[in-house]
């Protein structure tokens, strides 16, 4: 079974530029997540999709970050314009989408995209 | 908003058991405990999860206390490849897919 794919693996941009990241989840997984991981910290959830609908984007800086999941499969995360503090690893994860009050779901992560903003 | 507490780092000799503790004193009745690890420059990797009972798989064992306020991840025979940051996670009560990652425990396995 293929894992979660992400591209690019590395990106260096200057502040105020735009950047986009792409994620292809595990086939059949209904739920897709984007996390931001700053050096030395654990991942922080930015946005969560269930199929092509947004479930949680409470920690997404909406003035500069946007994300979409067209057709409920692939997803892109965009930053426009980038700031120095956006330097981080951006992780994509997917899960079958089976979680409920008495059931659980396991998230599978991609390798991440390391963004450096100069 | 991390709901777990872990020591920042631990050392373990190669071939010995590594016991990684986690406190989750505010856990509620239907919240699962998950463990992930992150090897340098890779995405987090799922290890194991549990609700009330102890669990074991090919990677590790998970021991959850009876009151569910803490748990321990056990790697029975640590190898150098087990050097990683280990995250203990509980999911959100209102969003069953939402994980809160803390800062984790950096496990250093030494020869």
């Amino acid at each position: 079974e293929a894992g979660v794919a992400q591209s690019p693996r590395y990106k260096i941009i200057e502040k105020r530029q735009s950047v986009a990241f792409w994620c292809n989840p595990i086939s059949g997984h209904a739920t897709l997540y984007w996390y931001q991981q700053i050096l030395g910290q654990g991942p922080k959830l930015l946005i969560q999709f269930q199929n092509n609908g947004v479930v949680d984007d409470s920690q997404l800086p909406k003035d500069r970050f946007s994300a979409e999941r067209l057709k409920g499969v692939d997803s892109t995360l965009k930053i426009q314009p980038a700031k120095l503090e956006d330097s981080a690893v951006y992780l994509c994860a997917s899960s079958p989408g089976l979680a409920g009050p008495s059931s659980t779901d396991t998230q599978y992560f991609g390798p991440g995209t390391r963004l450096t903003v100069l | 908003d991390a709901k777990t507490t872990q020591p920042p780092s631990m050392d373990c000799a190669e071939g010995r058991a590594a016991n990684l503790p986690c406190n989750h004193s505010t856990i509620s009745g239907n919240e699962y405990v998950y463990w992930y690890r992150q090897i340098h420059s890779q995405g987090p990797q799922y290890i194991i999860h549990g609700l009330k009972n102890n669990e074991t798989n090919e990677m590790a064992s998970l021991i959850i206390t009876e009151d569910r306020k803490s748990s321990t991840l056990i790697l029975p025979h640590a190898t150098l490849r087990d050097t990683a940051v280990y995250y203990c996670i509980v999911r959100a009560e209102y969003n069953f897919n939402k994980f809160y990652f803390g800062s984790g425990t950096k496990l250093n396995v030494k020869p």
Side-chain angles (χ1 to χ4, degrees), chain B residues 38-74:
Chain B
Q38 189 171 26
I39 296 170
H40 184 63
S41 297
Q42 298 182 21
Q45 175 192 24
Y46 166 76
I47 301 173
I48 198 167
H49 71 276
L51 183 61
K52 297 179 182 177
N53 300 319
N54 298 337
E55 302 287 346
T56 295
N57 63 21
E58 63 278 5
M59 290 183 68
S61 295
L62 174 60
I63 309 297
I64 303 174
T65 58
E66 193 169 343
D67 63 8
R68 302 208 328 117
K69 293 184 183 301
S70 66
S71 61
T72 301
L73 179 74
I74 301 172

PDB file of all heavy atoms in Angstrom, chain B residues 38-74:
ATOM      1  N   GLN B  38       8.914   9.936  15.791  1.00  0.00           N
ATOM      2  CA  GLN B  38       9.400  10.701  14.653  1.00  0.00           C
ATOM      3  C   GLN B  38      10.917  10.605  14.610  1.00  0.00           C
ATOM      4  O   GLN B  38      11.603  11.163  15.477  1.00  0.00           O
ATOM      5  CB  GLN B  38       8.946  12.156  14.731  1.00  0.00           C
ATOM      6  CG  GLN B  38       9.225  12.945  13.473  1.00  0.00           C
ATOM      7  CD  GLN B  38       8.567  14.312  13.495  1.00  0.00           C
ATOM      8  OE1 GLN B  38       8.308  14.882  14.552  1.00  0.00           O
ATOM      9  NE2 GLN B  38       8.279  14.848  12.315  1.00  0.00           N
ATOM     10  N   ILE B  39      11.378   9.896  13.620  1.00  0.00           N
ATOM     11  CA  ILE B  39      12.814   9.799  13.381  1.00  0.00           C
ATOM     12  C   ILE B  39      13.227  11.031  12.600  1.00  0.00           C
ATOM     13  O   ILE B  39      12.457  11.563  11.796  1.00  0.00           O
ATOM     14  CB  ILE B  39      13.131   8.489  12.629  1.00  0.00           C
ATOM     15  CG1 ILE B  39      12.769   7.291  13.523  1.00  0.00           C
ATOM     16  CG2 ILE B  39      14.597   8.420  12.217  1.00  0.00           C
ATOM     17  CD1 ILE B  39      12.804   5.958  12.835  1.00  0.00           C
ATOM     18  N   HIS B  40      14.431  11.478  12.826  1.00  0.00           N
ATOM     19  CA  HIS B  40      14.917  12.726  12.252  1.00  0.00           C
ATOM     20  C   HIS B  40      14.603  12.842  10.760  1.00  0.00           C
ATOM     21  O   HIS B  40      14.879  11.942   9.982  1.00  0.00           O
ATOM     22  CB  HIS B  40      16.423  12.848  12.481  1.00  0.00           C
ATOM     23  CG  HIS B  40      16.995  14.138  12.000  1.00  0.00           C
ATOM     24  ND1 HIS B  40      16.633  15.359  12.521  1.00  0.00           N
ATOM     25  CD2 HIS B  40      17.890  14.405  11.025  1.00  0.00           C
ATOM     26  CE1 HIS B  40      17.294  16.314  11.907  1.00  0.00           C
ATOM     27  NE2 HIS B  40      18.073  15.767  10.997  1.00  0.00           N
ATOM     28  N   SER B  41      13.983  13.977  10.397  1.00  0.00           N
ATOM     29  CA  SER B  41      13.681  14.322   9.003  1.00  0.00           C
ATOM     30  C   SER B  41      12.606  13.439   8.366  1.00  0.00           C
ATOM     31  O   SER B  41      12.495  13.399   7.138  1.00  0.00           O
ATOM     32  CB  SER B  41      14.941  14.283   8.133  1.00  0.00           C
ATOM     33  OG  SER B  41      15.858  15.251   8.575  1.00  0.00           O
ATOM     34  N   GLN B  42      11.855  12.724   9.179  1.00  0.00           N
ATOM     35  CA  GLN B  42      10.750  11.928   8.656  1.00  0.00           C
ATOM     36  C   GLN B  42       9.439  12.375   9.289  1.00  0.00           C
ATOM     37  O   GLN B  42       9.424  13.070  10.304  1.00  0.00           O
ATOM     38  CB  GLN B  42      10.976  10.443   8.930  1.00  0.00           C
ATOM     39  CG  GLN B  42      12.213   9.855   8.275  1.00  0.00           C
ATOM     40  CD  GLN B  42      12.351   8.374   8.543  1.00  0.00           C
ATOM     41  OE1 GLN B  42      11.381   7.699   8.881  1.00  0.00           O
ATOM     42  NE2 GLN B  42      13.558   7.849   8.404  1.00  0.00           N
ATOM     43  N   GLY B  43       8.328  11.969   8.709  1.00  0.00           N
ATOM     44  CA  GLY B  43       7.030  12.225   9.310  1.00  0.00           C
ATOM     45  C   GLY B  43       6.793  11.293  10.490  1.00  0.00           C
ATOM     46  O   GLY B  43       7.415  10.237  10.598  1.00  0.00           O
ATOM     47  N   PRO B  44       5.899  11.666  11.402  1.00  0.00           N
ATOM     48  CA  PRO B  44       5.589  10.780  12.525  1.00  0.00           C
ATOM     49  C   PRO B  44       5.081   9.423  12.052  1.00  0.00           C
ATOM     50  O   PRO B  44       4.351   9.332  11.062  1.00  0.00           O
ATOM     51  CB  PRO B  44       4.504  11.549  13.283  1.00  0.00           C
ATOM     52  CG  PRO B  44       4.736  12.987  12.931  1.00  0.00           C
ATOM     53  CD  PRO B  44       5.206  12.956  11.508  1.00  0.00           C
ATOM     54  N   GLN B  45       5.468   8.393  12.791  1.00  0.00           N
ATOM     55  CA  GLN B  45       5.108   7.008  12.465  1.00  0.00           C
ATOM     56  C   GLN B  45       4.249   6.446  13.584  1.00  0.00           C
ATOM     57  O   GLN B  45       4.618   6.540  14.762  1.00  0.00           O
ATOM     58  CB  GLN B  45       6.386   6.190  12.309  1.00  0.00           C
ATOM     59  CG  GLN B  45       6.173   4.701  12.074  1.00  0.00           C
ATOM     60  CD  GLN B  45       7.467   3.911  12.216  1.00  0.00           C
ATOM     61  OE1 GLN B  45       8.409   4.333  12.882  1.00  0.00           O
ATOM     62  NE2 GLN B  45       7.506   2.744  11.607  1.00  0.00           N
ATOM     63  N   TYR B  46       3.135   5.853  13.228  1.00  0.00           N
ATOM     64  CA  TYR B  46       2.245   5.253  14.200  1.00  0.00           C
ATOM     65  C   TYR B  46       2.925   4.064  14.893  1.00  0.00           C
ATOM     66  O   TYR B  46       3.604   3.252  14.235  1.00  0.00           O
ATOM     67  CB  TYR B  46       0.965   4.781  13.517  1.00  0.00           C
ATOM     68  CG  TYR B  46       0.094   3.860  14.340  1.00  0.00           C
ATOM     69  CD1 TYR B  46      -0.702   4.358  15.367  1.00  0.00           C
ATOM     70  CD2 TYR B  46       0.096   2.497  14.105  1.00  0.00           C
ATOM     71  CE1 TYR B  46      -1.500   3.513  16.126  1.00  0.00           C
ATOM     72  CE2 TYR B  46      -0.703   1.644  14.858  1.00  0.00           C
ATOM     73  CZ  TYR B  46      -1.495   2.163  15.862  1.00  0.00           C
ATOM     74  OH  TYR B  46      -2.274   1.321  16.614  1.00  0.00           O
ATOM     75  N   ILE B  47       2.751   3.970  16.223  1.00  0.00           N
ATOM     76  CA  ILE B  47       3.292   2.830  16.952  1.00  0.00           C
ATOM     77  C   ILE B  47       2.163   1.955  17.488  1.00  0.00           C
ATOM     78  O   ILE B  47       2.064   0.771  17.168  1.00  0.00           O
ATOM     79  CB  ILE B  47       4.180   3.288  18.135  1.00  0.00           C
ATOM     80  CG1 ILE B  47       5.348   4.139  17.639  1.00  0.00           C
ATOM     81  CG2 ILE B  47       4.704   2.058  18.900  1.00  0.00           C
ATOM     82  CD1 ILE B  47       6.169   4.751  18.768  1.00  0.00           C
ATOM     83  N   ILE B  48       1.307   2.543  18.313  1.00  0.00           N
ATOM     84  CA  ILE B  48       0.302   1.753  19.005  1.00  0.00           C
ATOM     85  C   ILE B  48      -0.745   2.682  19.594  1.00  0.00           C
ATOM     86  O   ILE B  48      -0.488   3.882  19.748  1.00  0.00           O
ATOM     87  CB  ILE B  48       0.983   0.902  20.110  1.00  0.00           C
ATOM     88  CG1 ILE B  48       0.098  -0.262  20.577  1.00  0.00           C
ATOM     89  CG2 ILE B  48       1.414   1.778  21.287  1.00  0.00           C
ATOM     90  CD1 ILE B  48       0.864  -1.278  21.423  1.00  0.00           C
ATOM     91  N   HIS B  49      -1.926   2.169  19.911  1.00  0.00           N
ATOM     92  CA  HIS B  49      -2.910   2.962  20.624  1.00  0.00           C
ATOM     93  C   HIS B  49      -3.727   2.054  21.544  1.00  0.00           C
ATOM     94  O   HIS B  49      -3.733   0.816  21.368  1.00  0.00           O
ATOM     95  CB  HIS B  49      -3.838   3.714  19.668  1.00  0.00           C
ATOM     96  CG  HIS B  49      -4.815   2.854  18.918  1.00  0.00           C
ATOM     97  ND1 HIS B  49      -4.479   2.202  17.754  1.00  0.00           N
ATOM     98  CD2 HIS B  49      -6.103   2.538  19.170  1.00  0.00           C
ATOM     99  CE1 HIS B  49      -5.527   1.531  17.308  1.00  0.00           C
ATOM    100  NE2 HIS B  49      -6.522   1.711  18.148  1.00  0.00           N
ATOM    101  N   GLY B  50      -4.410   2.662  22.502  1.00  0.00           N
ATOM    102  CA  GLY B  50      -5.224   1.893  23.437  1.00  0.00           C
ATOM    103  C   GLY B  50      -6.262   2.769  24.120  1.00  0.00           C
ATOM    104  O   GLY B  50      -6.166   3.996  24.109  1.00  0.00           O
ATOM    105  N   LEU B  51      -7.232   2.108  24.724  1.00  0.00           N
ATOM    106  CA  LEU B  51      -8.287   2.821  25.444  1.00  0.00           C
ATOM    107  C   LEU B  51      -8.226   2.506  26.938  1.00  0.00           C
ATOM    108  O   LEU B  51      -8.059   3.396  27.751  1.00  0.00           O
ATOM    109  CB  LEU B  51      -9.653   2.434  24.888  1.00  0.00           C
ATOM    110  CG  LEU B  51     -10.862   3.151  25.498  1.00  0.00           C
ATOM    111  CD1 LEU B  51     -10.776   4.645  25.265  1.00  0.00           C
ATOM    112  CD2 LEU B  51     -12.168   2.586  24.928  1.00  0.00           C
ATOM    113  N   LYS B  52      -8.382   1.249  27.290  1.00  0.00           N
ATOM    114  CA  LYS B  52      -8.352   0.862  28.704  1.00  0.00           C
ATOM    115  C   LYS B  52      -7.392  -0.291  28.953  1.00  0.00           C
ATOM    116  O   LYS B  52      -6.676  -0.315  29.946  1.00  0.00           O
ATOM    117  CB  LYS B  52      -9.755   0.430  29.158  1.00  0.00           C
ATOM    118  CG  LYS B  52     -10.788   1.521  29.098  1.00  0.00           C
ATOM    119  CD  LYS B  52     -12.145   1.000  29.532  1.00  0.00           C
ATOM    120  CE  LYS B  52     -13.208   2.076  29.433  1.00  0.00           C
ATOM    121  NZ  LYS B  52     -14.548   1.553  29.799  1.00  0.00           N
ATOM    122  N   ASN B  53      -7.380  -1.247  28.051  1.00  0.00           N
ATOM    123  CA  ASN B  53      -6.575  -2.437  28.261  1.00  0.00           C
ATOM    124  C   ASN B  53      -5.162  -2.243  27.748  1.00  0.00           C
ATOM    125  O   ASN B  53      -4.899  -1.409  26.901  1.00  0.00           O
ATOM    126  CB  ASN B  53      -7.214  -3.628  27.536  1.00  0.00           C
ATOM    127  CG  ASN B  53      -8.612  -3.904  28.029  1.00  0.00           C
ATOM    128  OD1 ASN B  53      -8.877  -3.849  29.219  1.00  0.00           O
ATOM    129  ND2 ASN B  53      -9.513  -4.175  27.104  1.00  0.00           N
ATOM    130  N   ASN B  54      -4.263  -3.043  28.286  1.00  0.00           N
ATOM    131  CA  ASN B  54      -2.904  -3.039  27.765  1.00  0.00           C
ATOM    132  C   ASN B  54      -2.905  -3.606  26.359  1.00  0.00           C
ATOM    133  O   ASN B  54      -3.723  -4.488  26.021  1.00  0.00           O
ATOM    134  CB  ASN B  54      -1.993  -3.867  28.677  1.00  0.00           C
ATOM    135  CG  ASN B  54      -1.921  -3.295  30.078  1.00  0.00           C
ATOM    136  OD1 ASN B  54      -2.171  -2.108  30.291  1.00  0.00           O
ATOM    137  ND2 ASN B  54      -1.593  -4.140  31.044  1.00  0.00           N
ATOM    138  N   GLU B  55      -2.024  -3.096  25.518  1.00  0.00           N
ATOM    139  CA  GLU B  55      -1.975  -3.515  24.124  1.00  0.00           C
ATOM    140  C   GLU B  55      -0.544  -3.874  23.756  1.00  0.00           C
ATOM    141  O   GLU B  55       0.413  -3.313  24.312  1.00  0.00           O
ATOM    142  CB  GLU B  55      -2.468  -2.390  23.202  1.00  0.00           C
ATOM    143  CG  GLU B  55      -3.869  -1.895  23.469  1.00  0.00           C
ATOM    144  CD  GLU B  55      -4.938  -2.869  23.033  1.00  0.00           C
ATOM    145  OE1 GLU B  55      -4.621  -3.816  22.282  1.00  0.00           O
ATOM    146  OE2 GLU B  55      -6.103  -2.690  23.452  1.00  0.00           O
ATOM    147  N   THR B  56      -0.410  -4.797  22.830  1.00  0.00           N
ATOM    148  CA  THR B  56       0.911  -5.186  22.332  1.00  0.00           C
ATOM    149  C   THR B  56       0.827  -5.415  20.834  1.00  0.00           C
ATOM    150  O   THR B  56      -0.157  -5.975  20.345  1.00  0.00           O
ATOM    151  CB  THR B  56       1.402  -6.473  23.029  1.00  0.00           C
ATOM    152  OG1 THR B  56       1.586  -6.207  24.421  1.00  0.00           O
ATOM    153  CG2 THR B  56       2.742  -6.927  22.445  1.00  0.00           C
ATOM    154  N   ASN B  57       1.826  -4.955  20.115  1.00  0.00           N
ATOM    155  CA  ASN B  57       1.959  -5.297  18.701  1.00  0.00           C
ATOM    156  C   ASN B  57       3.425  -5.600  18.413  1.00  0.00           C
ATOM    157  O   ASN B  57       4.232  -5.741  19.342  1.00  0.00           O
ATOM    158  CB  ASN B  57       1.386  -4.201  17.794  1.00  0.00           C
ATOM    159  CG  ASN B  57       2.112  -2.874  17.921  1.00  0.00           C
ATOM    160  OD1 ASN B  57       3.264  -2.819  18.366  1.00  0.00           O
ATOM    161  ND2 ASN B  57       1.438  -1.809  17.537  1.00  0.00           N
ATOM    162  N   GLU B  58       3.755  -5.692  17.149  1.00  0.00           N
ATOM    163  CA  GLU B  58       5.111  -6.109  16.794  1.00  0.00           C
ATOM    164  C   GLU B  58       6.151  -5.048  17.125  1.00  0.00           C
ATOM    165  O   GLU B  58       7.338  -5.334  17.160  1.00  0.00           O
ATOM    166  CB  GLU B  58       5.184  -6.451  15.308  1.00  0.00           C
ATOM    167  CG  GLU B  58       4.908  -5.281  14.378  1.00  0.00           C
ATOM    168  CD  GLU B  58       3.444  -5.007  14.150  1.00  0.00           C
ATOM    169  OE1 GLU B  58       2.609  -5.683  14.799  1.00  0.00           O
ATOM    170  OE2 GLU B  58       3.124  -4.144  13.330  1.00  0.00           O
ATOM    171  N   MET B  59       5.710  -3.828  17.349  1.00  0.00           N
ATOM    172  CA  MET B  59       6.663  -2.760  17.645  1.00  0.00           C
ATOM    173  C   MET B  59       6.847  -2.522  19.138  1.00  0.00           C
ATOM    174  O   MET B  59       7.963  -2.234  19.585  1.00  0.00           O
ATOM    175  CB  MET B  59       6.207  -1.454  17.001  1.00  0.00           C
ATOM    176  CG  MET B  59       6.287  -1.402  15.497  1.00  0.00           C
ATOM    177  SD  MET B  59       5.805   0.207  14.863  1.00  0.00           S
ATOM    178  CE  MET B  59       7.150   1.234  15.433  1.00  0.00           C
ATOM    179  N   ALA B  60       5.743  -2.579  19.898  1.00  0.00           N
ATOM    180  CA  ALA B  60       5.826  -2.126  21.283  1.00  0.00           C
ATOM    181  C   ALA B  60       4.654  -2.658  22.103  1.00  0.00           C
ATOM    182  O   ALA B  60       3.733  -3.269  21.566  1.00  0.00           O
ATOM    183  CB  ALA B  60       5.808  -0.593  21.312  1.00  0.00           C
ATOM    184  N   SER B  61       4.730  -2.376  23.405  1.00  0.00           N
ATOM    185  CA  SER B  61       3.615  -2.636  24.313  1.00  0.00           C
ATOM    186  C   SER B  61       3.178  -1.326  24.940  1.00  0.00           C
ATOM    187  O   SER B  61       4.010  -0.441  25.175  1.00  0.00           O
ATOM    188  CB  SER B  61       4.016  -3.622  25.410  1.00  0.00           C
ATOM    189  OG  SER B  61       4.309  -4.891  24.870  1.00  0.00           O
ATOM    190  N   LEU B  62       1.880  -1.237  25.207  1.00  0.00           N
ATOM    191  CA  LEU B  62       1.321  -0.046  25.845  1.00  0.00           C
ATOM    192  C   LEU B  62       0.645  -0.483  27.133  1.00  0.00           C
ATOM    193  O   LEU B  62      -0.259  -1.323  27.110  1.00  0.00           O
ATOM    194  CB  LEU B  62       0.316   0.636  24.914  1.00  0.00           C
ATOM    195  CG  LEU B  62      -0.469   1.814  25.481  1.00  0.00           C
ATOM    196  CD1 LEU B  62       0.474   2.931  25.919  1.00  0.00           C
ATOM    197  CD2 LEU B  62      -1.469   2.333  24.458  1.00  0.00           C
ATOM    198  N   ILE B  63       1.099   0.102  28.240  1.00  0.00           N
ATOM    199  CA  ILE B  63       0.516  -0.189  29.541  1.00  0.00           C
ATOM    200  C   ILE B  63      -0.236   1.046  30.001  1.00  0.00           C
ATOM    201  O   ILE B  63       0.355   2.121  30.127  1.00  0.00           O
ATOM    202  CB  ILE B  63       1.599  -0.549  30.574  1.00  0.00           C
ATOM    203  CG1 ILE B  63       2.527  -1.644  30.035  1.00  0.00           C
ATOM    204  CG2 ILE B  63       0.954  -0.962  31.899  1.00  0.00           C
ATOM    205  CD1 ILE B  63       1.851  -2.953  29.746  1.00  0.00           C
ATOM    206  N   ILE B  64      -1.529   0.917  30.236  1.00  0.00           N
ATOM    207  CA  ILE B  64      -2.366   2.027  30.693  1.00  0.00           C
ATOM    208  C   ILE B  64      -2.796   1.732  32.114  1.00  0.00           C
ATOM    209  O   ILE B  64      -3.297   0.647  32.406  1.00  0.00           O
ATOM    210  CB  ILE B  64      -3.600   2.205  29.785  1.00  0.00           C
ATOM    211  CG1 ILE B  64      -3.164   2.428  28.335  1.00  0.00           C
ATOM    212  CG2 ILE B  64      -4.457   3.381  30.260  1.00  0.00           C
ATOM    213  CD1 ILE B  64      -4.311   2.474  27.344  1.00  0.00           C
ATOM    214  N   THR B  65      -2.609   2.705  33.013  1.00  0.00           N
ATOM    215  CA  THR B  65      -2.996   2.496  34.407  1.00  0.00           C
ATOM    216  C   THR B  65      -4.514   2.345  34.523  1.00  0.00           C
ATOM    217  O   THR B  65      -5.251   2.790  33.639  1.00  0.00           O
ATOM    218  CB  THR B  65      -2.516   3.649  35.292  1.00  0.00           C
ATOM    219  OG1 THR B  65      -3.071   4.878  34.789  1.00  0.00           O
ATOM    220  CG2 THR B  65      -1.000   3.742  35.303  1.00  0.00           C
ATOM    221  N   GLU B  66      -4.939   1.770  35.617  1.00  0.00           N
ATOM    222  CA  GLU B  66      -6.359   1.488  35.801  1.00  0.00           C
ATOM    223  C   GLU B  66      -7.201   2.758  35.789  1.00  0.00           C
ATOM    224  O   GLU B  66      -8.315   2.772  35.276  1.00  0.00           O
ATOM    225  CB  GLU B  66      -6.575   0.723  37.107  1.00  0.00           C
ATOM    226  CG  GLU B  66      -7.963   0.117  37.243  1.00  0.00           C
ATOM    227  CD  GLU B  66      -8.055  -0.835  38.407  1.00  0.00           C
ATOM    228  OE1 GLU B  66      -7.005  -1.284  38.916  1.00  0.00           O
ATOM    229  OE2 GLU B  66      -9.195  -1.118  38.828  1.00  0.00           O
ATOM    230  N   ASP B  67      -6.652   3.838  36.366  1.00  0.00           N
ATOM    231  CA  ASP B  67      -7.397   5.106  36.365  1.00  0.00           C
ATOM    232  C   ASP B  67      -7.231   5.882  35.058  1.00  0.00           C
ATOM    233  O   ASP B  67      -7.825   6.950  34.895  1.00  0.00           O
ATOM    234  CB  ASP B  67      -7.004   5.976  37.563  1.00  0.00           C
ATOM    235  CG  ASP B  67      -5.533   6.391  37.524  1.00  0.00           C
ATOM    236  OD1 ASP B  67      -4.858   6.127  36.502  1.00  0.00           O
ATOM    237  OD2 ASP B  67      -5.070   6.985  38.501  1.00  0.00           O
ATOM    238  N   ARG B  68      -6.431   5.351  34.163  1.00  0.00           N
ATOM    239  CA  ARG B  68      -6.184   5.910  32.831  1.00  0.00           C
ATOM    240  C   ARG B  68      -5.492   7.272  32.848  1.00  0.00           C
ATOM    241  O   ARG B  68      -5.461   7.972  31.842  1.00  0.00           O
ATOM    242  CB  ARG B  68      -7.472   5.991  32.012  1.00  0.00           C
ATOM    243  CG  ARG B  68      -8.150   4.671  31.842  1.00  0.00           C
ATOM    244  CD  ARG B  68      -8.992   4.493  30.607  1.00  0.00           C
ATOM    245  NE  ARG B  68      -9.633   5.692  30.121  1.00  0.00           N
ATOM    246  CZ  ARG B  68      -9.383   6.237  28.941  1.00  0.00           C
ATOM    247  NH1 ARG B  68      -8.493   5.695  28.136  1.00  0.00           N
ATOM    248  NH2 ARG B  68     -10.025   7.321  28.566  1.00  0.00           N
ATOM    249  N   LYS B  69      -4.938   7.665  33.950  1.00  0.00           N
ATOM    250  CA  LYS B  69      -4.293   8.967  34.039  1.00  0.00           C
ATOM    251  C   LYS B  69      -2.847   8.941  33.562  1.00  0.00           C
ATOM    252  O   LYS B  69      -2.207   9.991  33.439  1.00  0.00           O
ATOM    253  CB  LYS B  69      -4.367   9.491  35.472  1.00  0.00           C
ATOM    254  CG  LYS B  69      -5.800   9.823  35.912  1.00  0.00           C
ATOM    255  CD  LYS B  69      -5.808  10.415  37.294  1.00  0.00           C
ATOM    256  CE  LYS B  69      -7.233  10.684  37.788  1.00  0.00           C
ATOM    257  NZ  LYS B  69      -7.967  11.605  36.904  1.00  0.00           N
ATOM    258  N   SER B  70      -2.321   7.779  33.305  1.00  0.00           N
ATOM    259  CA  SER B  70      -0.962   7.704  32.767  1.00  0.00           C
ATOM    260  C   SER B  70      -0.789   6.412  31.977  1.00  0.00           C
ATOM    261  O   SER B  70      -1.593   5.476  32.108  1.00  0.00           O
ATOM    262  CB  SER B  70       0.080   7.785  33.879  1.00  0.00           C
ATOM    263  OG  SER B  70       0.000   6.651  34.712  1.00  0.00           O
ATOM    264  N   SER B  71       0.254   6.400  31.175  1.00  0.00           N
ATOM    265  CA  SER B  71       0.551   5.200  30.388  1.00  0.00           C
ATOM    266  C   SER B  71       2.059   5.104  30.185  1.00  0.00           C
ATOM    267  O   SER B  71       2.797   6.093  30.397  1.00  0.00           O
ATOM    268  CB  SER B  71      -0.178   5.225  29.041  1.00  0.00           C
ATOM    269  OG  SER B  71       0.218   6.335  28.256  1.00  0.00           O
ATOM    270  N   THR B  72       2.505   3.932  29.784  1.00  0.00           N
ATOM    271  CA  THR B  72       3.914   3.698  29.507  1.00  0.00           C
ATOM    272  C   THR B  72       4.047   2.931  28.197  1.00  0.00           C
ATOM    273  O   THR B  72       3.366   1.918  27.996  1.00  0.00           O
ATOM    274  CB  THR B  72       4.583   2.884  30.632  1.00  0.00           C
ATOM    275  OG1 THR B  72       4.460   3.595  31.868  1.00  0.00           O
ATOM    276  CG2 THR B  72       6.058   2.647  30.325  1.00  0.00           C
ATOM    277  N   LEU B  73       4.890   3.435  27.337  1.00  0.00           N
ATOM    278  CA  LEU B  73       5.226   2.728  26.106  1.00  0.00           C
ATOM    279  C   LEU B  73       6.492   1.933  26.361  1.00  0.00           C
ATOM    280  O   LEU B  73       7.473   2.478  26.882  1.00  0.00           O
ATOM    281  CB  LEU B  73       5.457   3.715  24.963  1.00  0.00           C
ATOM    282  CG  LEU B  73       5.846   3.084  23.625  1.00  0.00           C
ATOM    283  CD1 LEU B  73       4.631   2.427  22.971  1.00  0.00           C
ATOM    284  CD2 LEU B  73       6.462   4.119  22.693  1.00  0.00           C
ATOM    285  N   ILE B  74       6.469   0.670  26.014  1.00  0.00           N
ATOM    286  CA  ILE B  74       7.631  -0.190  26.237  1.00  0.00           C
ATOM    287  C   ILE B  74       8.156  -0.706  24.902  1.00  0.00           C
ATOM    288  O   ILE B  74       7.424  -1.351  24.148  1.00  0.00           O
ATOM    289  CB  ILE B  74       7.277  -1.385  27.154  1.00  0.00           C
ATOM    290  CG1 ILE B  74       6.766  -0.878  28.511  1.00  0.00           C
ATOM    291  CG2 ILE B  74       8.502  -2.282  27.344  1.00  0.00           C
ATOM    292  CD1 ILE B  74       6.223  -1.966  29.406  1.00  0.00           C
TER     293      ILE B  74
END
